[in-house]
Amino acid sequence: KQEVTQIPAALSVPEGENLVLNCSFTDSAIYNLQWFRQDPGKGLTSLLLIQSSQREQTSGRLNASLDKSSGRSTLYIAASQPGDSATYLCAVPLHGSSNTGKLIFGQGTTLQVKP
Amino acid sequence: ETGVTQTPRHLVMGMTNKKSLKCEQHLGHNAMYWYKQSAKKPLELMFVYNFKEQTENNSVPSRFSPECPNSSHLFLHLHTLQPEDSALYLCASSQEVSGGPDTQYFGPGTRLTVL
């Protein structure tokens, strides 16, 4: 059974710091891995999607890496800003015979960037 | 705006009420999903529809009844709910392509409170 774990559960940093969020998964047979952002009481916004054949993806100040063999992904945020404060979720789909795109989520890392 | 809308955004209902949540996607996707997000728990997939056919029911109690009349609309009919069903209900859509799922786009959610 696929399980996704995110560490740390919460993180508070001063503005300007570079930071790393961690995600691990137990079953390495994944099709891709996604990082999402969720603001309080809101839906999810997709940040980055890494295909299983890729090692990393970049979007602006965000860089996500994927190491399938070790079951790990990291989200690197450069020069953090107060607007980055949110909960960051990673998710992997189960690529079974039904091919449904069923996403398994971690519990998220809640980030607070202080001015 | 992600192209996925949900109504209502907030709902308070008694345990004997019947209500429905509505989701609409304007992205031309062929798959739609219902997720439940309870406090301090990971997002849980409830139902998956591909081309209007239900392909996944993640052991959801029968008091939750999904309906997908076409590929753009998804409903979640609620009846005789329990207080523990209070949660944020998120709808998502994606384009299922051969070989696996694509990025899911989430709506803003319906915050449900069951009294």
Side-chain angles (χ1 to χ4, degrees), chain A:
Chain A
K1 179 185 174 187
Q2 178 73 275
E3 294 183 2
V4 180
T5 304
Q6 291 185 247
I7 296 174
L11 184 61
S12 181
V13 300
E15 182 177 5
E17 269 203 14
N18 301 324
L19 56 100
V20 175
L21 308 182
N22 297 292
C23 172
S24 61
F25 44 95
T26 54
D27 184 349
S28 62
I30 60 171
Y31 187 76
N32 58 42
L33 182 143
Q34 297 184 64
W35 282 93
F36 293 88
R37 169 186 172 138
Q38 185 177 29
D39 292 285
K42 301 286 182 63
L44 277 65
T45 301
S46 180
L47 297 174
L48 290 163
L49 182 151
I50 312 176
Q51 301 292 351
S52 60
S53 58
Q54 297 175 319
R55 297 281 297 183
E56 64 179 69
Q57 279 281 351
T58 298
S59 176
R61 294 181 294 107
L62 305 180
N63 177 277
S65 67
L66 174 64
D67 184 344
K68 272 186 62 178
S69 60
S70 66
R72 293 183 182 182
S73 176
T74 61
L75 179 66
Y76 175 82
I77 303 177
S80 58
Q81 303 171 357
D84 295 330
S85 299
T87 296
Y88 291 82
L89 299 156
C90 72
V92 297
L94 280 179
H95 186 55
S97 58
S98 57
N99 198 28
T100 61
K102 175 180 177 178
L103 285 182
I104 307 299
F105 281 85
Q107 287 192 284
T109 294
T110 299
L111 172 65
Q112 182 183 31
V113 181
K114 297 179 180 178

